Amino acid sequence: MHNPDENCGCVSRRDLIKKAAVAGTVAWATPMIVGSLASPAGALTPGPCTKYAVKIGPGPSVTCEPFCFENGSGYTFPANDAYWAGSCSRPTGCSPSTNTTMARTVGMTAKMPIGISTEYFFNASLGGNVAYRKVTLASGCYFTSATSWQIGGRYEPGDPGTIWKEASSSCASGPIGGNVQGCYTEGGSTAWILAFADGLVDTTPEDDINYVYLKFCCSS
């Protein structure tokens, strides 16, 4: 059989390894696979997806809110295919299409997020820093496009508020580069949503976030 390396003037991988052995060095190795921006360090490999949804307060600590999700401002938050993830009572008497209709079964624990904090990102189109609420999920849970939505917010004026926002784009390390409403890490445990409906942080911010809506997967 013809050897494609013959008469080509090139050096085969076999010859390189032989020469390396003589020289006492390694000339070839399996290439290291480096994760893309869509798969940040620490991201889970999406596996079994048991869907959960929960409504939490705006921070600075994670608080479970036993209220309906509801829709508005052109956004919907369907969660009737998800278990209630909260440590508080599951809301009842809500629209089935936009709220969890499944309570956790025996043996299932609450899948509450473990953290909510504020982070600032510079937005060139707005010419200033924008404040976001960053939510971190518990171990074994992750955000993914496999759910119909990932993170949203309900804002003033008033409480519960009349303005809604939804972050539907994936990102590696936050809403960098003009992603105004927020984003989530595909296969990861973090997501961001605007802290104020107007987006731009100033000395008298308006339309503060009242509630954060979350939908995500867990391995069980």
Side-chain angles (χ1 to χ4, degrees):
M1 182 179 295
H2 175 68
N3 185 343
D5 289 334
E6 290 180 354
N7 304 320
C8 70
C10 56
V11 180
S12 69
R13 192 181 72 176
R14 180 181 298 175
D15 289 336
L16 281 175
I17 295 175
K18 287 181 178 178
K19 292 179 180 180
V22 174
T25 60
V26 177
W28 178 88
T30 303
M32 180 181 294
I33 298 174
V34 179
S36 66
L37 289 179
S39 301
L44 297 173
T45 300
C49 176
T50 302
K51 296 179 182 178
Y52 288 89
V54 68
K55 186 174 183 178
I56 65 174
S61 60
V62 178
T63 56
C64 182
E65 301 289 350
F67 306 122
C68 303
F69 287 91
E70 300 183 327
N71 306 312
S73 303
Y75 299 104
T76 60
F77 301 93
N80 61 342
D81 60 343
Y83 290 98
W84 178 245
S87 57
C88 59
S89 299
R90 177 176 64 92
T92 58
C94 307
S95 170
S97 63
T98 57
N99 286 270
T100 54
T101 57
M102 299 184 295
R104 296 190 308 279
T105 60
V106 175
M108 297 173 70
T109 59
K111 305 295 184 179
M112 283 287 289
I114 59 174
I116 182 169
S117 58
T118 301
E119 284 194 340
Y120 296 86
F121 295 89
F122 182 77
N123 186 291
S125 62
L126 294 175
N129 287 326
V130 178
Y132 293 86
R133 294 289 191 264
K134 175 184 177 181
V135 176
T136 304
L137 299 178
S139 176
C141 299
Y142 58 93
F143 291 105
T144 172
S145 58
T147 57
S148 52
W149 55 275
Q150 296 76 32
I151 185 169
R154 189 171 183 178
Y155 303 79
E156 297 178 352
D159 186 356
T162 58
I163 300 174
W164 284 261
K165 297 288 184 182
E166 180 185 323
S168 57
S169 299
S170 61
C171 61
S173 55
I176 299 170
N179 192 331
V180 177
Q181 295 185 172
C183 58
Y184 65 94
T185 54
E186 178 67 43
S189 61
T190 51
W192 295 259
I193 190 70
L194 281 172
F196 310 100
D198 53 8
L200 187 63
V201 175
D202 54 33
T203 56
T204 56
E206 299 175 354
D207 300 334
D208 297 47
I209 191 168
N210 287 329
Y211 301 100
V212 179
Y213 297 0
L214 299 170
K215 190 175 184 183
F216 50 90
C217 288
C218 296
S219 57
S220 62

